[in-house]
Amino acid sequence: MNLLPWHAEHWARLQARRQRDALPHALLLCGAAGLGKRAFAQRFVQGLLCSESAGGDPCGHCRSCLLVAAGTHPDVISLSFGLRKDGVLRSEIVVDQIRELSSRLAMRSQFGGWQVATIDPADAMNPAAANALLKTLEEPAAQTMLILLGDAPWRLPQTIRSRCQRIEFHLPTAADALAWLHAEGVRDAAAALDAAGGNPGLTRAWAQEGALDRRLEVRKDLAALAAGRGQPLDVVKRWLDNEPAQRLWFAAQAAADEIKARSTERSGPLASAMDVEALGHWYSAVNRTRESLRGPLRGDLLLLELLAQWR
Protein backbone atom coordinates (compact mmCIF):
# COMPACT_ATOMS: atom_id res chain seq x y z
CA MET A 1 0.00 0.00 0.00
CA ASN A 2 2.13 2.87 -1.31
CA LEU A 3 1.54 6.46 -0.26
CA LEU A 4 0.05 8.52 -3.09
CA PRO A 5 2.19 11.54 -4.04
CA TRP A 6 -0.44 14.10 -3.03
CA HIS A 7 -0.78 12.45 0.39
CA ALA A 8 2.81 13.10 1.44
CA GLU A 9 2.30 16.44 3.18
CA HIS A 10 -0.75 15.27 5.14
CA TRP A 11 1.06 12.07 6.10
CA ALA A 12 4.16 13.93 7.33
CA ARG A 13 2.10 16.30 9.49
CA LEU A 14 0.10 13.48 11.04
CA GLN A 15 3.19 11.44 11.81
CA ALA A 16 4.87 14.51 13.34
CA ARG A 17 1.93 14.78 15.73
CA ARG A 18 2.27 11.11 16.53
CA GLN A 19 5.94 11.57 17.36
CA ARG A 20 4.99 14.36 19.80
CA ASP A 21 2.32 12.10 21.32
CA ALA A 22 -0.21 14.71 20.23
CA LEU A 23 -2.56 12.76 17.99
CA PRO A 24 -6.14 14.05 18.01
CA HIS A 25 -8.87 11.72 19.23
CA ALA A 26 -10.89 12.29 16.04
CA LEU A 27 -9.94 12.83 12.40
CA LEU A 28 -12.17 13.98 9.56
CA LEU A 29 -10.76 12.89 6.19
CA CYS A 30 -12.63 14.69 3.46
CA GLY A 31 -12.39 15.75 -0.14
CA ALA A 32 -13.62 14.63 -3.54
CA ALA A 33 -14.08 10.93 -4.25
CA GLY A 34 -11.10 9.47 -6.04
CA LEU A 35 -8.31 11.17 -4.08
CA GLY A 36 -7.51 8.15 -1.92
CA LYS A 37 -8.95 9.11 1.47
CA ARG A 38 -9.76 5.52 2.32
CA ALA A 39 -6.34 4.22 1.31
CA PHE A 40 -4.80 6.96 3.46
CA ALA A 41 -6.99 5.97 6.42
CA GLN A 42 -6.18 2.27 6.10
CA ARG A 43 -2.45 2.95 5.91
CA PHE A 44 -2.63 5.21 8.96
CA VAL A 45 -4.65 2.70 11.00
CA GLN A 46 -2.33 -0.12 10.02
CA GLY A 47 0.72 1.94 10.99
CA LEU A 48 -0.87 3.05 14.25
CA LEU A 49 -1.51 -0.55 15.35
CA CYS A 50 1.64 -2.05 13.80
CA SER A 51 3.98 -3.65 16.34
CA GLU A 52 7.03 -2.99 14.18
CA SER A 53 6.16 0.41 12.71
CA ALA A 54 9.02 2.58 11.47
CA GLY A 55 8.17 6.27 11.25
CA GLY A 56 4.46 5.53 11.16
CA ASP A 57 4.69 3.23 8.16
CA PRO A 58 3.17 -0.24 8.65
CA CYS A 59 5.56 -3.16 8.32
CA GLY A 60 2.91 -5.19 6.51
CA HIS A 61 3.85 -8.55 8.03
CA CYS A 62 3.28 -8.40 11.80
CA ARG A 63 0.14 -9.90 13.32
CA SER A 64 -1.61 -6.52 13.64
CA CYS A 65 -0.84 -5.52 10.05
CA LEU A 66 -2.16 -8.81 8.70
CA LEU A 67 -5.34 -8.54 10.77
CA VAL A 68 -5.97 -4.94 9.68
CA ALA A 69 -5.42 -5.89 6.04
CA ALA A 70 -7.84 -8.79 6.42
CA GLY A 71 -10.44 -6.61 8.15
CA THR A 72 -10.44 -8.79 11.27
CA HIS A 73 -8.43 -6.79 13.82
CA PRO A 74 -10.40 -6.85 17.11
CA ASP A 75 -9.44 -3.24 17.92
CA VAL A 76 -10.58 -1.82 14.58
CA ILE A 77 -14.28 -1.09 14.20
CA SER A 78 -15.61 -0.26 10.74
CA LEU A 79 -19.03 1.33 10.62
CA SER A 80 -20.93 1.91 7.39
CA PHE A 81 -24.43 1.30 6.04
CA GLY A 82 -26.27 -1.44 7.91
CA LEU A 83 -29.14 -3.69 6.95
CA ARG A 84 -32.76 -2.99 7.74
CA LYS A 85 -34.94 -5.68 9.28
CA ASP A 86 -36.14 -6.66 5.80
CA GLY A 87 -32.55 -7.24 4.68
CA VAL A 88 -32.32 -4.12 2.48
CA LEU A 89 -29.19 -1.99 2.82
CA ARG A 90 -29.86 1.31 4.52
CA SER A 91 -29.08 4.61 2.79
CA GLU A 92 -28.06 6.31 6.05
CA ILE A 93 -26.19 5.55 9.27
CA VAL A 94 -28.64 5.39 12.17
CA VAL A 95 -28.50 6.10 15.88
CA ASP A 96 -28.46 2.46 17.02
CA GLN A 97 -25.23 1.92 15.08
CA ILE A 98 -23.58 4.85 16.82
CA ARG A 99 -24.75 3.70 20.26
CA GLU A 100 -23.30 0.24 19.61
CA LEU A 101 -20.06 1.83 18.44
CA SER A 102 -19.82 3.96 21.61
CA SER A 103 -20.39 0.89 23.78
CA ARG A 104 -17.57 -0.97 22.06
CA LEU A 105 -15.18 1.95 22.39
CA ALA A 106 -15.92 2.09 26.12
CA MET A 107 -14.39 -1.39 26.51
CA ARG A 108 -10.66 -2.07 26.79
CA SER A 109 -8.50 -2.72 23.78
CA GLN A 110 -8.00 -6.43 23.24
CA PHE A 111 -4.38 -5.97 22.15
CA GLY A 112 -3.61 -3.44 24.87
CA GLY A 113 -3.03 -0.51 22.49
CA TRP A 114 -5.16 1.79 20.38
CA GLN A 115 -8.77 1.23 19.49
CA VAL A 116 -9.77 2.75 16.15
CA ALA A 117 -13.24 3.25 14.71
CA THR A 118 -13.92 4.39 11.16
CA ILE A 119 -17.26 5.83 10.08
CA ASP A 120 -17.62 5.80 6.31
CA PRO A 121 -19.40 7.68 4.88
CA ALA A 122 -19.72 9.88 7.95
CA ASP A 123 -21.80 12.39 5.99
CA ALA A 124 -24.51 9.71 5.75
CA MET A 125 -25.27 9.86 9.49
CA ASN A 126 -28.82 11.00 10.13
CA PRO A 127 -29.35 13.81 12.70
CA ALA A 128 -30.04 11.42 15.58
CA ALA A 129 -26.88 9.43 14.82
CA ALA A 130 -24.78 12.60 14.60
CA ASN A 131 -26.14 13.80 17.94
CA ALA A 132 -25.36 10.43 19.53
CA LEU A 133 -21.78 10.64 18.27
CA LEU A 134 -21.24 13.99 20.00
CA LYS A 135 -20.93 12.43 23.46
CA THR A 136 -18.18 10.10 22.28
CA LEU A 137 -16.37 13.02 20.64
CA GLU A 138 -16.71 15.17 23.75
CA GLU A 139 -15.66 12.45 26.21
CA PRO A 140 -13.16 10.23 24.34
CA ALA A 141 -11.67 7.25 26.14
CA ALA A 142 -7.90 6.99 26.36
CA GLN A 143 -6.16 5.64 23.27
CA THR A 144 -9.27 5.66 21.12
CA MET A 145 -9.31 7.18 17.67
CA LEU A 146 -12.37 8.04 15.59
CA ILE A 147 -11.81 8.46 11.86
CA LEU A 148 -14.67 10.00 9.90
CA LEU A 149 -14.55 9.83 6.12
CA GLY A 150 -16.77 11.79 3.77
CA ASP A 151 -16.94 13.18 0.26
CA ALA A 152 -19.41 15.88 1.39
CA PRO A 153 -18.31 17.12 4.83
CA TRP A 154 -20.71 20.08 4.64
CA ARG A 155 -23.50 17.60 5.33
CA LEU A 156 -22.07 16.98 8.79
CA PRO A 157 -23.23 19.24 11.62
CA GLN A 158 -20.78 21.95 12.61
CA THR A 159 -20.73 20.47 16.11
CA ILE A 160 -19.21 17.29 14.65
CA ARG A 161 -16.77 19.03 12.32
CA SER A 162 -15.46 21.34 15.03
CA ARG A 163 -14.51 18.39 17.24
CA CYS A 164 -12.38 16.66 14.61
CA GLN A 165 -8.95 17.38 13.21
CA ARG A 166 -9.75 18.00 9.56
CA ILE A 167 -7.55 16.62 6.80
CA GLU A 168 -8.84 17.81 3.45
CA PHE A 169 -7.57 16.25 0.25
CA HIS A 170 -7.30 18.61 -2.70
CA LEU A 171 -6.62 17.97 -6.38
CA PRO A 172 -2.89 17.67 -7.10
CA THR A 173 -1.24 19.77 -9.78
CA ALA A 174 -1.77 18.56 -13.34
CA ALA A 175 1.93 17.72 -13.61
CA ASP A 176 1.88 15.53 -10.49
CA ALA A 177 -1.37 13.88 -11.54
CA LEU A 178 -0.10 13.13 -15.06
CA ALA A 179 3.20 11.75 -13.74
CA TRP A 180 1.30 9.35 -11.50
CA LEU A 181 -1.16 8.38 -14.25
CA HIS A 182 1.67 7.64 -16.67
CA ALA A 183 3.33 5.47 -14.02
CA GLU A 184 -0.01 3.66 -13.61
CA GLY A 185 -0.10 2.99 -17.35
CA VAL A 186 -3.21 5.06 -18.08
CA ARG A 187 -3.63 5.72 -21.80
CA ASP A 188 -4.64 9.14 -23.09
CA ALA A 189 -3.90 10.40 -19.60
CA ALA A 190 -4.22 14.11 -20.42
CA ALA A 191 -7.64 13.73 -22.04
CA ALA A 192 -8.84 11.40 -19.30
CA LEU A 193 -7.62 13.79 -16.59
CA ASP A 194 -9.51 16.63 -18.24
CA ALA A 195 -12.67 14.50 -18.35
CA ALA A 196 -12.34 13.73 -14.62
CA GLY A 197 -11.92 17.38 -13.72
CA GLY A 198 -8.27 16.97 -12.70
CA ASN A 199 -8.98 14.13 -10.27
CA PRO A 200 -6.30 11.43 -10.79
CA GLY A 201 -8.13 8.68 -8.90
CA LEU A 202 -11.29 9.14 -10.94
CA THR A 203 -9.16 9.42 -14.07
CA ARG A 204 -7.63 5.98 -13.55
CA ALA A 205 -10.98 4.38 -12.73
CA TRP A 206 -12.80 6.05 -15.59
CA ALA A 207 -10.08 5.28 -18.11
CA GLN A 208 -10.40 1.61 -17.22
CA GLU A 209 -14.18 1.60 -17.68
CA GLY A 210 -14.50 3.55 -20.94
CA ALA A 211 -15.54 6.93 -19.54
CA LEU A 212 -13.98 8.85 -22.45
CA ASP A 213 -16.36 7.09 -24.82
CA ARG A 214 -19.30 8.06 -22.63
CA ARG A 215 -18.09 11.65 -22.54
CA LEU A 216 -18.06 11.76 -26.33
CA GLU A 217 -21.55 10.20 -26.46
CA VAL A 218 -22.91 12.86 -24.10
CA ARG A 219 -21.55 15.66 -26.27
CA LYS A 220 -22.97 14.04 -29.40
CA ASP A 221 -26.36 13.66 -27.71
CA LEU A 222 -26.43 17.32 -26.65
CA ALA A 223 -25.30 18.53 -30.07
CA ALA A 224 -28.00 16.44 -31.76
CA LEU A 225 -30.72 17.72 -29.44
CA ALA A 226 -29.58 21.32 -29.96
CA ALA A 227 -29.87 20.78 -33.72
CA GLY A 228 -33.38 19.34 -33.39
CA ARG A 229 -32.29 15.78 -34.08
CA GLY A 230 -32.90 12.79 -31.84
CA GLN A 231 -35.50 12.18 -29.17
CA PRO A 232 -35.00 13.20 -25.52
CA LEU A 233 -36.67 9.97 -24.35
CA ASP A 234 -34.06 7.89 -26.19
CA VAL A 235 -31.26 9.93 -24.62
CA VAL A 236 -32.81 9.60 -21.16
CA LYS A 237 -33.01 5.82 -21.48
CA ARG A 238 -29.42 5.55 -22.69
CA TRP A 239 -28.10 7.79 -19.89
CA LEU A 240 -30.05 6.00 -17.16
CA ASP A 241 -28.87 2.59 -18.36
CA ASN A 242 -25.17 3.42 -18.04
CA GLU A 243 -23.60 5.65 -15.35
CA PRO A 244 -26.19 8.46 -15.23
CA ALA A 245 -24.34 10.51 -12.59
CA GLN A 246 -21.15 10.36 -14.62
CA ARG A 247 -22.98 11.38 -17.79
CA LEU A 248 -24.42 14.37 -15.97
CA TRP A 249 -20.90 15.31 -14.90
CA PHE A 250 -19.92 15.29 -18.57
CA ALA A 251 -23.03 17.26 -19.49
CA ALA A 252 -22.04 19.96 -17.00
CA GLN A 253 -18.54 20.03 -18.51
CA ALA A 254 -20.05 20.41 -21.98
CA ALA A 255 -22.16 23.36 -20.82
CA ALA A 256 -19.11 24.97 -19.22
CA ASP A 257 -17.16 24.59 -22.48
CA GLU A 258 -20.06 26.12 -24.38
CA ILE A 259 -20.09 29.10 -21.99
CA LYS A 260 -16.35 29.53 -22.36
CA ALA A 261 -16.62 29.53 -26.15
CA ARG A 262 -19.45 32.07 -26.09
CA SER A 263 -17.45 34.37 -23.80
CA THR A 264 -14.88 34.73 -26.59
CA GLU A 265 -17.68 35.45 -29.09
CA ARG A 266 -17.19 32.17 -30.89
CA SER A 267 -19.81 29.61 -31.76
CA GLY A 268 -19.96 26.93 -29.11
CA PRO A 269 -19.01 23.31 -29.92
CA LEU A 270 -22.57 22.12 -29.24
CA ALA A 271 -24.34 24.91 -31.16
CA SER A 272 -26.86 25.42 -28.39
CA ALA A 273 -29.54 28.03 -29.03
CA MET A 274 -29.36 29.17 -25.39
CA ASP A 275 -27.55 32.38 -24.50
CA VAL A 276 -24.77 32.51 -21.92
CA GLU A 277 -27.10 33.30 -19.03
CA ALA A 278 -29.42 30.41 -19.91
CA LEU A 279 -26.43 28.08 -20.27
CA GLY A 280 -25.30 29.10 -16.79
CA HIS A 281 -28.71 28.24 -15.38
CA TRP A 282 -28.68 24.91 -17.21
CA TYR A 283 -25.20 24.13 -15.84
CA SER A 284 -26.56 24.64 -12.32
CA ALA A 285 -29.61 22.52 -13.14
CA VAL A 286 -27.36 19.65 -14.26
CA ASN A 287 -25.53 19.66 -10.93
CA ARG A 288 -28.80 19.77 -8.99
CA THR A 289 -30.12 16.87 -11.05
CA ARG A 290 -27.00 14.82 -10.39
CA GLU A 291 -27.50 15.35 -6.67
CA SER A 292 -31.22 14.54 -6.93
CA LEU A 293 -30.47 11.14 -8.46
CA ARG A 294 -29.38 10.05 -4.97
CA GLY A 295 -32.92 10.61 -3.66
CA PRO A 296 -36.31 9.02 -4.18
CA LEU A 297 -37.38 11.05 -7.23
CA ARG A 298 -37.72 9.27 -10.58
CA GLY A 299 -34.54 9.60 -12.58
CA ASP A 300 -36.30 9.45 -15.95
CA LEU A 301 -38.47 12.45 -15.11
CA LEU A 302 -35.53 14.43 -13.76
CA LEU A 303 -33.49 13.83 -16.90
CA LEU A 304 -36.39 14.46 -19.24
CA GLU A 305 -37.04 17.85 -17.66
CA LEU A 306 -33.35 18.72 -17.88
CA LEU A 307 -33.04 17.78 -21.55
CA ALA A 308 -36.28 19.59 -22.38
CA GLN A 309 -34.64 22.75 -21.03
CA TRP A 310 -31.59 22.12 -23.23
CA ARG A 311 -33.64 21.86 -26.40
PDB file of all heavy atoms in Angstrom, residues 70 73 82 154 168 204 215 218 238 257-258 269 272 286 294-295:
ATOM      1  N   ALA A  70      -6.773  -7.812   6.624  1.00  0.00           N
ATOM      2  CA  ALA A  70      -7.842  -8.792   6.417  1.00  0.00           C
ATOM      3  C   ALA A  70      -9.193  -8.284   6.912  1.00  0.00           C
ATOM      4  O   ALA A  70     -10.220  -8.923   6.666  1.00  0.00           O
ATOM      5  CB  ALA A  70      -7.491 -10.088   7.134  1.00  0.00           C
ATOM      6  N   HIS A  73      -9.104  -7.226  12.583  1.00  0.00           N
ATOM      7  CA  HIS A  73      -8.426  -6.789  13.816  1.00  0.00           C
ATOM      8  C   HIS A  73      -9.478  -6.476  14.877  1.00  0.00           C
ATOM      9  O   HIS A  73     -10.413  -5.710  14.622  1.00  0.00           O
ATOM     10  CB  HIS A  73      -7.561  -5.561  13.534  1.00  0.00           C
ATOM     11  CG  HIS A  73      -6.540  -5.296  14.595  1.00  0.00           C
ATOM     12  ND1 HIS A  73      -6.880  -4.943  15.885  1.00  0.00           N
ATOM     13  CD2 HIS A  73      -5.173  -5.343  14.561  1.00  0.00           C
ATOM     14  CE1 HIS A  73      -5.773  -4.774  16.597  1.00  0.00           C
ATOM     15  NE2 HIS A  73      -4.731  -5.011  15.827  1.00  0.00           N
ATOM     16  N   GLY A  82     -25.816  -0.162   7.390  1.00  0.00           N
ATOM     17  CA  GLY A  82     -26.271  -1.440   7.912  1.00  0.00           C
ATOM     18  C   GLY A  82     -27.497  -1.934   7.173  1.00  0.00           C
ATOM     19  O   GLY A  82     -28.017  -1.281   6.267  1.00  0.00           O
ATOM     20  N   TRP A 154     -19.748  19.031   4.296  1.00  0.00           N
ATOM     21  CA  TRP A 154     -20.706  20.084   4.645  1.00  0.00           C
ATOM     22  C   TRP A 154     -22.035  19.508   5.109  1.00  0.00           C
ATOM     23  O   TRP A 154     -22.839  20.218   5.713  1.00  0.00           O
ATOM     24  CB  TRP A 154     -20.917  21.001   3.442  1.00  0.00           C
ATOM     25  CG  TRP A 154     -21.373  20.302   2.209  1.00  0.00           C
ATOM     26  CD1 TRP A 154     -22.660  20.019   1.842  1.00  0.00           C
ATOM     27  CD2 TRP A 154     -20.541  19.759   1.176  1.00  0.00           C
ATOM     28  NE1 TRP A 154     -22.690  19.346   0.640  1.00  0.00           N
ATOM     29  CE2 TRP A 154     -21.402  19.170   0.199  1.00  0.00           C
ATOM     30  CE3 TRP A 154     -19.165  19.713   0.966  1.00  0.00           C
ATOM     31  CZ2 TRP A 154     -20.909  18.549  -0.940  1.00  0.00           C
ATOM     32  CZ3 TRP A 154     -18.691  19.096  -0.180  1.00  0.00           C
ATOM     33  CH2 TRP A 154     -19.549  18.523  -1.117  1.00  0.00           C
ATOM     34  N   GLU A 168      -8.101  17.659   4.698  1.00  0.00           N
ATOM     35  CA  GLU A 168      -8.844  17.810   3.448  1.00  0.00           C
ATOM     36  C   GLU A 168      -7.929  17.537   2.260  1.00  0.00           C
ATOM     37  O   GLU A 168      -6.873  18.151   2.128  1.00  0.00           O
ATOM     38  CB  GLU A 168      -9.440  19.210   3.348  1.00  0.00           C
ATOM     39  CG  GLU A 168     -10.354  19.380   2.151  1.00  0.00           C
ATOM     40  CD  GLU A 168     -11.329  20.525   2.298  1.00  0.00           C
ATOM     41  OE1 GLU A 168     -11.268  21.234   3.322  1.00  0.00           O
ATOM     42  OE2 GLU A 168     -12.153  20.700   1.399  1.00  0.00           O
ATOM     43  N   ARG A 204      -8.058   7.373 -13.367  1.00  0.00           N
ATOM     44  CA  ARG A 204      -7.631   5.981 -13.548  1.00  0.00           C
ATOM     45  C   ARG A 204      -8.839   5.050 -13.626  1.00  0.00           C
ATOM     46  O   ARG A 204      -8.902   4.173 -14.503  1.00  0.00           O
ATOM     47  CB  ARG A 204      -6.712   5.556 -12.399  1.00  0.00           C
ATOM     48  CG  ARG A 204      -6.211   4.122 -12.537  1.00  0.00           C
ATOM     49  CD  ARG A 204      -5.254   3.744 -11.446  1.00  0.00           C
ATOM     50  NE  ARG A 204      -5.891   3.735 -10.130  1.00  0.00           N
ATOM     51  CZ  ARG A 204      -5.282   3.348  -9.017  1.00  0.00           C
ATOM     52  NH1 ARG A 204      -4.014   2.965  -9.065  1.00  0.00           N
ATOM     53  NH2 ARG A 204      -5.918   3.369  -7.863  1.00  0.00           N
ATOM     54  N   ARG A 215     -18.169  10.181 -22.451  1.00  0.00           N
ATOM     55  CA  ARG A 215     -18.087  11.647 -22.540  1.00  0.00           C
ATOM     56  C   ARG A 215     -18.385  12.116 -23.964  1.00  0.00           C
ATOM     57  O   ARG A 215     -19.124  13.082 -24.185  1.00  0.00           O
ATOM     58  CB  ARG A 215     -16.692  12.117 -22.118  1.00  0.00           C
ATOM     59  CG  ARG A 215     -16.548  13.629 -22.009  1.00  0.00           C
ATOM     60  CD  ARG A 215     -15.099  13.992 -21.864  1.00  0.00           C
ATOM     61  NE  ARG A 215     -14.921  15.370 -21.435  1.00  0.00           N
ATOM     62  CZ  ARG A 215     -13.834  16.072 -21.679  1.00  0.00           C
ATOM     63  NH1 ARG A 215     -12.826  15.537 -22.344  1.00  0.00           N
ATOM     64  NH2 ARG A 215     -13.729  17.319 -21.252  1.00  0.00           N
ATOM     65  N   VAL A 218     -22.118  11.789 -24.715  1.00  0.00           N
ATOM     66  CA  VAL A 218     -22.913  12.859 -24.105  1.00  0.00           C
ATOM     67  C   VAL A 218     -22.856  14.110 -24.968  1.00  0.00           C
ATOM     68  O   VAL A 218     -23.882  14.758 -25.229  1.00  0.00           O
ATOM     69  CB  VAL A 218     -22.407  13.162 -22.678  1.00  0.00           C
ATOM     70  CG1 VAL A 218     -22.973  14.490 -22.168  1.00  0.00           C
ATOM     71  CG2 VAL A 218     -22.796  12.025 -21.728  1.00  0.00           C
ATOM     72  N   ARG A 238     -30.822   5.922 -22.527  1.00  0.00           N
ATOM     73  CA  ARG A 238     -29.416   5.551 -22.687  1.00  0.00           C
ATOM     74  C   ARG A 238     -28.590   6.038 -21.496  1.00  0.00           C
ATOM     75  O   ARG A 238     -27.721   5.326 -20.995  1.00  0.00           O
ATOM     76  CB  ARG A 238     -28.888   6.137 -23.997  1.00  0.00           C
ATOM     77  CG  ARG A 238     -27.499   5.643 -24.373  1.00  0.00           C
ATOM     78  CD  ARG A 238     -27.208   5.860 -25.842  1.00  0.00           C
ATOM     79  NE  ARG A 238     -27.347   7.255 -26.246  1.00  0.00           N
ATOM     80  CZ  ARG A 238     -28.344   7.726 -26.991  1.00  0.00           C
ATOM     81  NH1 ARG A 238     -29.286   6.900 -27.418  1.00  0.00           N
ATOM     82  NH2 ARG A 238     -28.399   9.003 -27.323  1.00  0.00           N
ATOM     83  N   ASP A 257     -17.945  24.325 -21.265  1.00  0.00           N
ATOM     84  CA  ASP A 257     -17.160  24.591 -22.480  1.00  0.00           C
ATOM     85  C   ASP A 257     -17.919  25.500 -23.439  1.00  0.00           C
ATOM     86  O   ASP A 257     -17.334  26.359 -24.107  1.00  0.00           O
ATOM     87  CB  ASP A 257     -16.809  23.271 -23.175  1.00  0.00           C
ATOM     88  CG  ASP A 257     -15.784  22.463 -22.396  1.00  0.00           C
ATOM     89  OD1 ASP A 257     -15.149  23.040 -21.492  1.00  0.00           O
ATOM     90  OD2 ASP A 257     -15.622  21.265 -22.691  1.00  0.00           O
ATOM     91  N   GLU A 258     -19.224  25.286 -23.503  1.00  0.00           N
ATOM     92  CA  GLU A 258     -20.056  26.119 -24.376  1.00  0.00           C
ATOM     93  C   GLU A 258     -20.043  27.580 -23.885  1.00  0.00           C
ATOM     94  O   GLU A 258     -19.929  28.523 -24.675  1.00  0.00           O
ATOM     95  CB  GLU A 258     -21.486  25.577 -24.385  1.00  0.00           C
ATOM     96  CG  GLU A 258     -22.403  26.222 -25.404  1.00  0.00           C
ATOM     97  CD  GLU A 258     -22.296  25.608 -26.787  1.00  0.00           C
ATOM     98  OE1 GLU A 258     -21.477  24.677 -26.979  1.00  0.00           O
ATOM     99  OE2 GLU A 258     -23.031  26.056 -27.676  1.00  0.00           O
ATOM    100  N   PRO A 269     -19.173  24.618 -29.263  1.00  0.00           N
ATOM    101  CA  PRO A 269     -19.014  23.305 -29.916  1.00  0.00           C
ATOM    102  C   PRO A 269     -20.310  22.526 -30.035  1.00  0.00           C
ATOM    103  O   PRO A 269     -20.419  21.633 -30.866  1.00  0.00           O
ATOM    104  CB  PRO A 269     -18.017  22.590 -28.998  1.00  0.00           C
ATOM    105  CG  PRO A 269     -18.148  23.273 -27.673  1.00  0.00           C
ATOM    106  CD  PRO A 269     -18.442  24.700 -27.995  1.00  0.00           C
ATOM    107  N   SER A 272     -25.628  25.239 -29.145  1.00  0.00           N
ATOM    108  CA  SER A 272     -26.864  25.424 -28.395  1.00  0.00           C
ATOM    109  C   SER A 272     -27.495  26.763 -28.733  1.00  0.00           C
ATOM    110  O   SER A 272     -26.814  27.757 -28.960  1.00  0.00           O
ATOM    111  CB  SER A 272     -26.582  25.353 -26.892  1.00  0.00           C
ATOM    112  OG  SER A 272     -27.724  25.723 -26.157  1.00  0.00           O
ATOM    113  N   VAL A 286     -28.006  20.959 -14.091  1.00  0.00           N
ATOM    114  CA  VAL A 286     -27.364  19.652 -14.257  1.00  0.00           C
ATOM    115  C   VAL A 286     -26.812  19.168 -12.914  1.00  0.00           C
ATOM    116  O   VAL A 286     -27.010  18.008 -12.514  1.00  0.00           O
ATOM    117  CB  VAL A 286     -26.227  19.714 -15.297  1.00  0.00           C
ATOM    118  CG1 VAL A 286     -25.453  18.403 -15.316  1.00  0.00           C
ATOM    119  CG2 VAL A 286     -26.781  19.996 -16.684  1.00  0.00           C
ATOM    120  N   ARG A 294     -29.619  10.823  -6.190  1.00  0.00           N
ATOM    121  CA  ARG A 294     -29.385  10.052  -4.971  1.00  0.00           C
ATOM    122  C   ARG A 294     -30.683   9.814  -4.200  1.00  0.00           C
ATOM    123  O   ARG A 294     -30.752   8.932  -3.351  1.00  0.00           O
ATOM    124  CB  ARG A 294     -28.419  10.804  -4.034  1.00  0.00           C
ATOM    125  CG  ARG A 294     -27.063  11.146  -4.621  1.00  0.00           C
ATOM    126  CD  ARG A 294     -26.351  12.094  -3.675  1.00  0.00           C
ATOM    127  NE  ARG A 294     -25.044  12.509  -4.157  1.00  0.00           N
ATOM    128  CZ  ARG A 294     -23.893  11.972  -3.795  1.00  0.00           C
ATOM    129  NH1 ARG A 294     -23.905  10.979  -2.910  1.00  0.00           N
ATOM    130  NH2 ARG A 294     -22.753  12.392  -4.268  1.00  0.00           N
ATOM    131  N   GLY A 295     -31.692  10.639  -4.449  1.00  0.00           N
ATOM    132  CA  GLY A 295     -32.917  10.605  -3.662  1.00  0.00           C
ATOM    133  C   GLY A 295     -33.994   9.733  -4.275  1.00  0.00           C
ATOM    134  O   GLY A 295     -33.761   8.953  -5.206  1.00  0.00           O
TER     135      GLY A 295
END
